Amino acid sequence: MPADEIKRGRKTTVKAMRILCMVLILTLLFGGIAVAAESNLMPFDDVPDGAWYGEAVRFAYYRGVMTGVGGAAFDPDGAASRAMIVTVLWRMAGSPAPAAESGFSDLTQNWYRDAAAWAREAGIANGVSADRFDPNGAVTREQLAAFLARFAARIFGVDTGTDIDLSDFPDGEAASAYAKAPLAWAVRAGIITGTAQNGQTLLAPRNKATRAQIAAMLMRLYRMLPREEATAMAERVDRMKIAEKTNQIVVVADHSLTLWERGADGAWAQTLDAYAGYGYNGMSESRSEGDGTTPIGAFPLLYAFGRDADADTDMEYRVITDRSYFSAERSDGTYNTWVESDTPVYGEHLMDYAGLQYRLAAVIGFNIDPVTVGMGSAIFLHCKGNSWNTAGCVSVERSVMEGLLARLHPGAWIVIVRSQGDLAAY
């Protein structure tokens, strides 16, 4: 449920509202209750809600890969330098200490000196001459593709191949000869998707890469790289009891949401990785209606719903109408169920949130077998609203929700925990 919801028909006294206001004021002043996890917040003022690169910027920042340019600015449209690129790749590699000095004479600042030396040793980025690195030189999109391909191949052993096919792009032939193979690999891997210009999707190989584009490419690269943590997580998922019931598990561990799918060979693989928001009062093993917490546990994903009639999903899908409610009525047996009614129902009028949070959503099967009146209703996985905080639901970027529903099948489950180590209980 959205954090800003107001239950239809709720009878709230003036006295109760005054008490609630006082609790919120004291909370904000003294921190007695965790109103919002700090990592729910976008740290940059120049990354607007709904920006296509918003999820990527958040990913890069909270993974410690990219920082801002000063103050509360990320400068998404700003150009990136060679020093910046080798530094973010160095961080993604774990910030290893170089074996020796770089030999470059123009490395004037400490923040990129080790990264440049490491990049040269690893064969990821050479200098522009024998003794010059050109740290302030702007990076083009084709140069970035070359850096990323070398990084994936030499640090993680990825087969980047040599096949060259850039025919999907009108300007594919404009790429430099050295960059065509790395660009083709980046396109095949989904790391580069093209940029819209004058009604066309162009490769724009010689355009300067913006910081927003770099954040997006780094996020896509990170998610396709083989990593020890992903292998360990796959083993955790395989050992879960819930894995005996389903071939698809959405794992929410703090603010990390991942989708795990079991292949024909029986092995679990991560197919989606995203940032998630949850209740403004955190997570709880024993929640109650209106307490602002997200329930901890393993739950079936019952069905999807949303505003549009043509949602791309194999799950059961319900279209919100003006008659659609999710009931919190305690006396007529409809508590925590979807109700179609011509008269107002105590609970949520779903159409009120259909433009944002419930543009696409899925019902989390919390408090359903049996239904306990008062334990909580309308716990959904839904699109992010104006804030990452919710009144108990799990929220993701709309693009992530679209990707989830496109992959999910009937019978999928969601497991919500504070940390990955807690998965063993389920």
Side-chain angles (χ1 to χ4, degrees):
M1 67 185 75
D4 55 358
E5 75 172 52
I6 300 175
K7 294 284 190 179
R8 298 306 184 231
R10 177 175 291 167
K11 297 179 180 178
T12 306
T13 65
V14 173
K15 180 178 179 181
M17 287 299 293
R18 287 174 177 168
I19 292 173
L20 176 60
C21 290
M22 183 60 68
V23 169
L24 290 174
I25 291 169
L26 291 174
T27 296
L28 291 171
L29 288 174
F30 301 109
I33 301 173
V35 175
E38 183 179 355
S39 58
N40 260 338
L41 305 176
M42 173 62 76
F44 306 113
D45 293 339
D46 57 351
V47 179
D49 285 341
W52 67 266
Y53 50 82
E55 180 191 358
V57 170
R58 183 176 286 103
F59 160 86
Y61 178 77
Y62 285 112
R63 289 281 181 179
V65 174
M66 292 180 74
T67 58
V69 296
F74 183 78
D75 190 22
D77 296 322
S81 68
R82 288 167 53 84
M84 193 201 92
I85 294 301
V86 296
T87 299
V88 298
L89 293 178
W90 175 66
R91 290 170 182 162
M92 286 181 69
S95 303
E101 295 290 332
S102 68
F104 296 123
S105 62
D106 59 347
L107 303 182
T108 59
Q109 298 189 46
N110 289 331
W111 65 267
Y112 57 72
R113 188 170 282 115
D114 282 353
W118 164 82
R120 187 175 206 177
E121 288 177 0
I124 292 169
N126 296 318
V128 297
S129 68
D131 65 345
R132 291 186 63 251
F133 183 74
D134 189 22
N136 297 320
V139 174
T140 64
R141 288 166 58 86
E142 67 179 15
Q143 289 170 347
L144 178 60
F147 288 157
L148 297 184
R150 294 170 195 152
F151 175 80
R154 298 179 187 186
I155 304 303
F156 288 90
V158 173
D159 181 6
T160 58
T162 56
D163 293 338
I164 298 174
D165 182 6
L166 300 174
S167 59
D168 287 344
F169 300 95
D171 60 343
E173 287 304 312
S176 301
Y178 80 90
K180 287 184 177 179
L183 280 167
W185 165 77
V187 169
R188 288 196 306 273
I191 294 169
I192 291 180
T193 58
T195 181
Q197 294 183 23
N198 300 321
Q200 292 182 303
T201 300
L202 301 179
L203 193 59
R206 303 198 185 196
N207 285 14
K208 292 179 180 179
T210 68
R211 286 171 54 82
Q213 291 170 352
I214 290 166
M217 292 182 199
L218 289 174
M219 179 180 70
R220 296 166 191 155
L221 173 65
Y222 180 88
R223 290 175 176 174
M224 59 82 63
L225 289 175
R227 302 187 305 278
E228 291 183 6
E229 64 184 82
T231 301
M233 183 66 171
E235 293 173 354
R236 283 194 181 105
V237 171
D238 188 56
R239 291 194 297 267
M240 294 170 63
K241 293 179 182 178
I242 207 68
E244 300 173 2
K245 298 183 179 182
T246 181
N247 290 323
Q248 291 183 312
I249 301 175
V250 177
V251 173
V252 178
D254 192 31
H255 288 296
S256 168
L257 181 146
T258 51
L259 173 61
W260 294 85
E261 300 185 78
R262 180 159 42 204
D265 61 355
W268 287 91
Q270 178 184 298
T271 56
L272 188 147
D273 179 6
Y275 183 90
Y278 49 78
Y280 58 80
N281 274 333
M283 297 179 177
S284 174
E285 293 89 348
S286 56
R287 82 178 306 276
S288 59
E289 189 80 48
D291 70 0
T293 65
T294 295
I296 289 174
F299 314 102
L301 287 169
L302 301 182
Y303 52 88
F305 66 94
R307 188 185 76 179
D308 300 332
D310 57 349
D312 178 18
T313 184
D314 289 335
M315 295 183 69
E316 176 190 344
Y317 180 77
R318 301 183 184 183
V319 179
I320 296 172
T321 71
D322 285 330
R323 302 177 63 250
S324 303
Y325 296 84
F326 217 87
S327 175
E329 177 56 59
R330 299 174 181 238
S331 61
D332 65 358
T334 64
Y335 185 82
N336 199 29
T337 64
W338 181 296
V339 175
E340 292 287 325
S341 174
D342 292 322
T343 57
V345 173
Y346 177 53
E348 286 191 32
H349 186 219
L350 300 180
M351 186 60 80
D352 292 345
Y353 310 101
L356 195 57
Q357 293 99 327
Y358 299 167
R359 180 69 178 264
L360 282 174
V363 177
I364 296 174
F366 165 74
N367 190 24
I368 59 169
D369 187 21
V371 174
T372 300
V373 174
M375 182 181 290
S377 61
I379 302 299
F380 305 139
L381 171 59
H382 64 60
C383 300
K384 172 185 172 293
N386 294 322
S387 166
W388 282 103
N389 297 326
T390 74
C393 295
V394 176
S395 64
V396 294
E397 297 280 6
R398 179 181 164 189
S399 60
V400 174
M401 196 68 215
E402 290 172 346
L404 271 172
L405 291 189
R407 299 196 68 93
L408 290 175
H409 307 299
W413 280 65
I414 185 170
V415 180
I416 303 170
V417 289
R418 292 190 178 96
S419 68
Q420 292 180 3
D422 297 333
L423 292 174
Y426 303 97

